[in-house]
């Protein structure tokens, strides 16, 4: 694991087919540490997660189960996903303990709706740090820019574009991405550039 932003930790897994990293985050908090979209950890990372302790595992969407079950089993953390993605995730074997609701506060984070890639896609806003955390709503590829996954993997491309456009109303300066390279600083400008390329319908 390495620090990505102050006391926030990340670890990654490189996807050969995509040509970029899939990323996980560990957000520290006085009420327990939060893990977001955990990819497969190596032995060293798993030992660190067990040592540091986790209270919750938050999944941004139904396709980011990744290593959540394994980390849940080893750390005793509880796993959460939006109810509209829960059935699919359970069908993939996800062990789930609770639901994520738009507007809900979890530690320092606020749940933000980001539907479109899947019906229950969410993001997390960290107001105190002016950080937006996304799963598949946008990706950091190529590095330094924000883009979208191909439309063939989206349930509703137009809805996702609207969700991303609505994120511009949030107060953030950094975007931590689940796929690709995070944008540290000036992230809203990068998101504006992406939205300007949309043909909104």
């Amino acid at each position: 694991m390495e620090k990505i932003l102050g006391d926030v930790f990340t670890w990654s897994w490189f996807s050969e087919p995509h040509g970029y990293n899939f990323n996980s985050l560990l957000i520290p908090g006085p009420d327990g540490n939060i893990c977001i979209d955990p990819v497969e950890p190596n032995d060293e990372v798993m030992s660190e997660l067990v040592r540091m302790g986790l209270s919750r595992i938050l999944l941004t969407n139904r396709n980011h189960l990744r290593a959540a079950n394994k980390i849940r089993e080893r750390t005793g953390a509880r796993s959460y996903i939006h109810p509209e993605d829960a059935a699919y995730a359970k069908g993939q074997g996800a062990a789930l303990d609770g639901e994520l609701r738009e507007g809900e506060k979890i530690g320092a984070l606020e749940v933000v709706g980001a539907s479109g890639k899947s019906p229950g896609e969410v993001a997390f806003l960290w107001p105190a740090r002016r950080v937006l955390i996304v799963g598949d709503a946008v990706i950091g590829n190529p590095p330094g820019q924000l883009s979208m996954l191909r439309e063939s993997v989206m349930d509703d491309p137009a809805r996702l574009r609207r969700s991303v456009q609505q994120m511009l109303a949030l107060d953030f300066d950094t975007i931590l991405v689940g796929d690709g390279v995070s944008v540290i600083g000036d992230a809203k400008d990068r998101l504006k550039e992406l939205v300007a390329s949309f043909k909104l319908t």
Side-chain angles (χ1 to χ4, degrees):
M1 280 198 298
E2 61 185 37
K3 288 187 177 181
I4 187 173
L5 191 69
D7 53 359
V8 177
F9 288 89
T10 185
W11 73 99
S12 303
W13 177 80
F14 184 74
S15 170
E16 290 282 356
H18 293 84
Y20 50 71
N21 281 338
F22 292 169
N23 309 306
S24 309
L25 294 172
L26 189 151
I27 310 291
D31 300 323
N33 298 326
I34 294 171
C35 179
I36 299 176
D37 291 347
V39 296
E40 189 70 29
N42 61 29
D43 291 343
E44 182 181 349
V45 170
M46 181 64 87
S47 295
E48 276 294 288
L49 293 173
V50 171
R51 183 187 67 79
M52 297 172 74
L54 294 176
S55 63
R56 284 164 285 201
I57 297 169
L58 309 182
L59 303 177
T60 58
N61 66 72
R62 64 191 183 192
N63 301 114
H64 281 197
L65 171 61
R66 298 174 168 176
N69 286 354
K70 178 185 290 188
I71 291 173
R72 176 181 178 272
E73 183 177 335
R74 289 289 305 276
T75 64
R78 294 169 60 82
S79 293
Y80 298 81
I81 196 169
H82 191 281
E84 290 194 50
D85 274 13
Y88 182 95
K90 287 178 181 176
Q92 300 299 305
L96 301 173
D97 303 290
E99 298 178 343
L100 299 172
R101 300 284 183 176
E102 293 174 31
E104 176 185 8
K105 293 186 178 180
I106 303 173
L109 307 178
E110 296 178 6
V111 181
V112 177
S115 61
K117 164 59 164 60
S118 64
E121 177 94 26
V122 298
F124 302 102
L125 181 66
W126 192 350
R129 300 276 186 97
R130 300 186 68 221
V131 170
L132 182 64
I133 299 166
V134 298
D136 283 338
V138 298
I139 62 174
N141 185 57
Q145 298 179 37
L146 296 170
S147 60
M148 310 281 282
L149 293 168
R150 63 189 187 279
E151 289 197 359
S152 61
V153 302
M154 300 177 189
D155 278 13
D156 189 336
R159 186 176 181 185
L160 180 57
R161 288 191 290 269
R162 289 194 299 271
S163 293
V164 171
Q165 183 186 37
Q166 289 164 2
M167 290 177 181
L168 291 175
L170 304 174
D171 182 25
F172 64 89
D173 190 51
T174 288
I175 292 183
L176 302 180
V177 297
D179 294 7
V181 179
S182 293
V183 179
I184 312 295
D186 296 325
K188 183 170 278 192
D189 289 339
R190 302 291 80 77
L191 193 64
K192 286 177 180 176
E193 292 167 359
L194 175 62
V195 169
S197 73
F198 293 169
K199 292 180 180 178
L200 293 169
T201 55

